[in-house]
Amino acid sequence: MKFNTKAIHAGQKPEETSGAVMPPIFQTSTYVQKAPNQHLGYDYARVGNPTRTALEKLIAGLEEATFCACFSSGVGAIDAIIKTLKPGDHVISTNDLYGGTYRLFTSVFEPYGIGFSFVDMTDIQQVEAAINPNTRLIWIETPTNPLLRIIDIQAVAEMSSQNGILSAVDNTFASPYLQQPLLLGADIVMHSTTKYLGGHSDVIGGAVASNHEEFMEKIRFQVKTTGAVPGPMDCYLTLRGIKTLHIRVERSVENAKKIALFLNEHDKVEHVHYPGLPNHPQFELAARQMKDSGAMISFSLKDNTIERAVQLMASTKIFTLAESLGGVESLISHPASMTHGSIPKAIREKAGLSDSLIRLSVGIEDVEDLIHDVDLALTS
Ligand code: P1T
């Protein structure tokens, strides 16, 4: 099956008792047992739920994975991955990454004795130099949030496997439609399904997928034991969203490319971060590694003050000022005070994230309206 067919059919079959074509929302906390431990495959809904199973099979199909486990949020999924490690273990992570991931690593896991090194992974030598005998995991986020840097998944995955280290990719910004990390050699792929997979800004969720049976056993143990599981309604909404993933992402990218070009030529704009622009430092890598260049853009203004950036963000009419991304509607946000506010200013700035950076999540509205909206905000 090819991708678009999989998005609709992978792991899906009509429900057996009624023939319902869409997976029902199994709103139950428990399941009957004929005798202790004799049941139809489900015993308690923290451990498993058929609506969740349908979602897990679908995401596994899209990521070319044998196994997938879903969580109640993206950070819940990351939390479960890091909990497969133990005190004394070391993780190498990208230095430009979602602020909530940084906060989880440094404020929750560092105090428990897991070490983290944040490096610029666009330079593979920095990754290599950070490896130590306790390194167990390399955490890749690409494209990065919010600077849209591209990390060479294949090169990092090769280096990690040569050193007996697992590699994990947060594939939230690309979605599996644009990038399939496991096919590039990564061991683990993770999603905030809140974003492109759900696609409609109406549900929070996360997923981990992999072909490593032993690793996924540990993840299943986390699901059962720490219980950050999604409810059946949330699984259903995400399943429903995924069915149009390919057409939503395709249109969002088409719009984003036009907006990036428009911004790139605008006399009020200083710099545009977008992997589809030939002046992007990893333009060729993005073209090789991704099916297309994504629908996230960040940019800075010539009047590079936080006041002007904030004024612009408050004046768009179609781009809604809000956290999150990957929905059908276009959003605008201020990473320094919103999604990345938990990263200390000095560390943000060292990674290149300035207080005046503006981030766009481009949706599927008419692109002429979107460009007009941004143009008015830039010139007013
Ligand atoms: O919000 P949640 O579903 O828990 O997912 C966390 C997460 C993980 N990884 C990446 C790359 C993310 O961007 C996010 C969430 N990001 C936002 C809310 C945001 O606006 O950037």
Side-chain angles (χ1 to χ4, degrees):
M1 258 196 270
K2 296 177 91 171
F3 190 93
N4 299 349
T5 313
K6 276 190 180 171
I8 294 160
H9 296 290
Q12 310 302 302
K13 56 179 189 333
E15 197 270 328
E16 279 170 15
T17 58
S18 65
V21 169
M22 289 307 297
I25 301 161
F26 283 88
Q27 196 71 50
T28 186
S29 62
T30 192
Y31 309 85
V32 66
Q33 309 200 10
K34 274 196 185 130
N37 291 316
Q38 273 185 36
H39 50 73
L40 299 172
Y42 295 94
D43 56 359
Y44 187 57
R46 172 163 20 87
V47 184
N49 175 289
T51 319
R52 198 197 316 162
T53 305
L55 175 62
E56 291 174 342
K57 286 188 173 165
L58 181 56
I59 295 175
L62 297 185
E63 285 291 4
E64 301 293 336
T66 326
F67 311 101
C68 171
C70 284
F71 290 85
S72 54
S73 68
V75 289
I78 302 170
D79 178 74
I81 295 172
I82 304 300
K83 281 187 197 144
T84 65
L85 306 177
K86 58 181 189 331
D89 287 349
H90 173 245
V91 179
I92 302 171
S93 166
T94 38
N95 65 346
D96 180 36
L97 81 169
Y98 172 53
T101 309
Y102 178 87
R103 181 175 56 206
L104 180 62
F105 288 174
T106 57
S107 301
V108 175
F109 287 109
E110 250 171 16
Y112 278 95
I114 295 177
F116 292 87
S117 299
F118 297 92
V119 304
D120 177 0
M121 281 196 189
T122 60
D123 175 3
I124 192 87
Q125 283 168 355
Q126 288 198 30
V127 184
E128 192 165 21
I131 295 177
N132 74 39
N134 295 333
T135 307
R136 297 285 174 266
L137 180 71
I138 300 191
W139 186 266
I140 303 165
E141 188 182 287
T142 182
T144 61
N145 181 1
L147 289 165
L148 285 311
R149 293 183 179 135
I150 305 294
I151 293 156
D152 190 334
I153 297 174
Q154 197 163 5
V156 177
E158 255 169 42
M159 180 185 293
S160 53
S161 80
Q162 278 162 10
N163 287 278
I165 301 166
L166 289 176
S167 53
V169 177
D170 183 336
N171 202 24
T172 300
F173 261 40
S175 89
Y177 179 66
L178 297 180
Q179 175 171 279
Q180 291 168 303
L182 302 186
L183 295 184
L184 296 166
D187 298 299
I188 303 156
V189 58
M190 171 264 148
H191 279 281
S192 164
T193 58
T194 315
K195 313 293 158 36
Y196 289 101
L197 291 173
H200 296 76
S201 304
D202 53 8
V203 60
I204 297 274
V208 180
S210 173
N211 291 314
H212 280 251
E213 198 164 355
E214 198 189 320
F215 169 78
M216 285 308 285
E217 267 307 309
K218 293 183 185 170
I219 291 292
R220 289 253 169 245
F221 180 78
Q222 289 296 332
V223 168
K224 179 166 86 175
T225 308
T226 64
V229 296
M233 180 70 190
D234 289 359
C235 292
Y236 174 79
L237 285 171
T238 310
L239 267 165
R240 181 162 128 142
I242 291 176
K243 287 177 191 287
T244 53
L245 174 71
H246 46 299
I247 46 180
R248 284 186 285 103
V249 173
E250 212 161 76
R251 175 59 66 87
S252 297
V253 174
E254 194 184 306
N255 285 352
K257 283 181 175 168
K258 290 181 183 157
I259 294 169
L261 279 174
F262 168 79
L263 289 171
N264 204 36
E265 281 160 19
H266 203 287
D267 59 8
K268 302 271 188 211
V269 172
E270 175 68 22
H271 189 76
V272 182
H273 304 266
Y274 182 66
L277 288 175
N279 65 2
H280 187 283
Q282 294 94 36
F283 173 74
E284 278 158 25
L285 171 61
R288 197 166 72 237
Q289 174 165 289
M290 298 170 69
K291 184 173 170 172
D292 215 331
S293 37
M296 296 299 295
I297 302 170
S298 56
F299 64 102
S300 56
L301 301 174
K302 288 211 169 110
D303 177 357
N304 198 15
T305 58
I306 184 165
E307 291 75 20
R308 178 65 191 114
V310 166
Q311 187 191 30
L312 182 145
M313 284 177 268
S315 63
T316 52
K317 301 278 183 291
I318 300 173
F319 277 91
T320 305
L321 178 59
E323 301 210 7
S324 205
L325 58 120
V328 289
E329 66 291 310
S330 294
L331 301 180
I332 189 164
S333 74
H334 181 228
S337 70
M338 294 166 72
T339 51
H340 294 69
S342 57
I343 304 179
K345 185 175 161 77
I347 292 176
R348 279 201 312 261
E349 284 181 347
K350 198 166 157 231
L353 200 181
S354 74
D355 277 357
S356 52
L357 190 80
I358 299 163
R359 192 188 77 178
L360 302 178
S361 170
V362 179
I364 64 171
E365 300 95 336
D366 280 303
V367 73
E368 293 79 8
D369 290 332
L370 295 177
I371 289 177
H372 182 65
D373 193 34
V374 178
D375 193 24
L376 270 186
L378 280 166
T379 47
S380 64

